[in-house]
Amino acid sequence: MRKNLSLLIATLCMLYNANAQTQQTAPPKVTGKVVDITTTKPVEMASVVVLNSTDSSVITGMYTNASGNFNFNNINPGIYVLRVTFMGYDKLEKAFKVVEGKGAFVGTLHLHRSGKELSTVEIKAEKPSFSMQIDRQVFDAGDMINAEGGTGTDILKNIPSVDVDIDDNVTLRGKSVTIYVDGKPSPFGDAKTALQMIPAESIDRVEVINNPSAKFEAQGGGGIINIVLKKDKAIGYNVMFNAGAATRGQLNGSANASLRLRRFNFFGNYNGRYEDLNGSGFSNRENLVADTSSTKYFTQRSVNNNHNGNNGGRFGFDYYLNDRNTFTIAQGLNYSFGGNNENIDLNNLDDKYQLLSSGIRANTSHYNNNNNNTSLSYKRTYKKPNQELTAYVSYSDNGSSSNSQYLSNYFYHNADTAYRTGNQQNTSGNNNKFWNLQSDYTSPMGKKGKLETGVKGTMRSIENDYIAMLYNKDSLAFIQSMSLSNKYKYEEDVYAGYLNFANAIGNLGYQVGARAEQSYLRGYSFTKDSRVNRSFFNIFPSVFLKYNLPANQNQNLVFNYSTRIDRPNFDQLLPYINNSDPQNIRTGNPDLRSALTHKFEMNYSAWYPKTNNYLSTGIYYAQTNDNIDRISTLDTLSGVTTTRPMNIATSQNMGANFSYSWKIFKWWKFNSNLNLEYNKMSGATIQNENFTYGLSGNMQFRLPQRFNVELSGHYRSPRIQPQGTFKAMNGIDLGIRKEFLKNNRLVVAVNVSDLLNTQQYNSHYVTPTFIQDYDRKRATRFVRLNVRYRFGKMDPNLFKKKKRQDDEEEKPQEEAPKPNAERGRL
């Protein structure tokens, strides 16, 4: 690590010296005017702030002059949001675009007086709900009414190409994803856990990066989903409270606050959540090869109740040492708990559907998790625009414990042994420590060029001790099972460095780069005396091209290529046997190899500023070698299936995507998405292919009296898996939101999730030894009520005014001179 950091420092010094004298052409100006909508008179001293449309960070700001005019210099090309506020008027936001070499006139902005009731539908200026950048798609999360009171998972259910199953597992075009939070890998473990810890109301936008550039870590064949949290770094304070309840037994609450005092920006949040869910499952298996009991058909029914909750928060501060240097310290804490009760009925039947044996299985489990994360970051900017140096270090310590019990009773018909029972008790302890260190440097090169470089190191250590105890009838005691128990230690270290260069030739912008990663995977099972020791060195090139059509700068073509990797994770490598379902055992595979994916994508996008409509369409292709997936095999003697991850085949995915954001009327907006895809898996024992498609739509209505309605739906046709297909999925959600008080400080929302109660998980397996259909359903239809209240004040002179008032109050008044006689007596 010291060698890597030394190399980074040397590289940065050379880059800085090489570019210190580079001249940058001054970017264009942005001008406009603010007036009262009723009187059309100029509004003097209105606050006008330019926000970055991608993260809502403040770029610059000023006050309007006596004529209501404002102008900004040195605004780089891109899409921005203009925010206008003035006492006694409603806030106004408007999106605008700055084009290279051209000035931008945002027009005359009309402010509405606060508290005035409009006789027609209220129309608000808003930033684009969707935009296409050179390496990502950006979706605004602020207006997703159906996600009110939910988590990051509920936000992703509204994002095209993202699939969220009934267990809240997230995939992107059928592949695994890596979750980032504010541009950094989430410290909270897997994607599912990371998203459930983020309240929906704290998310500003979602960035879907199908083909990440060399700047990002290469893990995750599906790409990266970056969750960007809301921030407001303007001087002042902002507080928001949120509370909700749902008919499925869910309760949620959160509080967010920020305070900016000159050089300090303090922030903090707390959130808590609890839910109680019921579910059921059914499977029907036909054995093509009979087992020793002559079983031809096997059926299984299960019912379960699952409860879980978590609470925690994050707090910290930004310290602005000066205009160029910023330090940020943050601390996150989270505690989660849960349990599950499940009853399973099993039936074995012969070829005439006559009952051979039956069984009842009762499973109970409980768990507790503790997580803490500490991070320190540094950012330095330079006089040269877009030149910056950042450094980041974080440490996470996650501990968990769990216990479970399996009780089994089996009944045999027409046999000498009519009854058998089993009792198993399990305990598990897990500790996960994770270090993340990285530094990045960006510098402009010439008029349009940009150079990016950086290094990164991640170190993860996992210790797990699983003890399975079986009840022995002879000794009347529980005895540890060495075949089911496992004490395991796993370490994963990844060291990386990257280089990106971007520039433009006329209307063609390009970015080329490469990332080198050296990874070490080491694991040892103390119980089974088995060892995993792997190392990988990979170079991941990436190429991005963006062409702005000469006739219309709001239209562009984007092409990109990148390589990704799926390294086997701890759960997949662990040789631990999960026998909670005695007829369907799951286990790991310490012999797994990494899977490498090559990805190509080409997109066309067009933004129509007059209507704020947006079009994006494209084609893509991905090929994964040594694809990792789960394979089920049937033991023809015992009739038990075992499922384990394996490197099974070469996977190919090619498709086309069409998205359109259409403002039908000023009060009615429609977002639609169509995805067409052909999938093929080919290997020594696997051959499977199919054509699939997905449809999703979202309609938003802005109605009088500040009512907002959202109706969204999705449908995905069957998708292949190595041994069959996942059946079709569909669902419809409805949300209604009412805004109250000035500046919509109070918001009440009612959501109906899965309106038609159609969300479920279905799969169809076909193998040489058995055919099986598996259906699973949990409570997905529910009604949720959510209330959100916020207050605050953003004013650059807020605390300066207060300080002047305090100074005036504390200043001692001069005493009147005393008469000479009085002074003489003294």
Side-chain angles (χ1 to χ4, degrees), residues 365-410:
S365 62
H366 299 86
Y367 70 87
N368 294 275
N369 295 332
N370 287 285
N371 175 283
N372 74 81
N373 170 256
T374 305
S375 64
L376 170 65
S377 61
Y378 166 72
K379 179 178 181 179
R380 173 177 172 79
T381 59
Y382 299 83
K383 291 183 179 180
K384 185 188 298 183
N386 299 322
Q387 182 183 11
E388 67 176 35
L389 170 69
T390 62
Y392 175 81
V393 58
S394 73
Y395 171 72
S396 300
D397 190 350
N398 311 324
S400 66
S401 62
S402 63
N403 62 79
S404 57
Q405 183 172 20
Y406 309 149
L407 291 173
S408 304
N409 290 290
Y410 296 94

Side-chain angles (χ1 to χ4, degrees), residues 661-679:
S661 179
W662 180 23
K663 185 169 282 188
I664 303 173
F665 298 107
K666 291 185 177 181
W667 51 271
W668 182 4
K669 184 169 66 175
F670 178 53
N671 300 311
S672 60
N673 182 78
L674 169 64
N675 188 69
L676 307 173
E677 188 171 278
Y678 170 74
N679 302 292

Side-chain angles (χ1 to χ4, degrees), residues 424-444:
Q424 177 181 335
Q425 292 182 351
N426 316 296
T427 59
S428 177
N430 180 275
N431 185 257
N432 183 348
K433 296 180 180 179
F434 178 53
W435 281 95
N436 181 13
L437 302 91
Q438 69 180 87
S439 181
D440 302 278
Y441 175 74
T442 302
S443 177

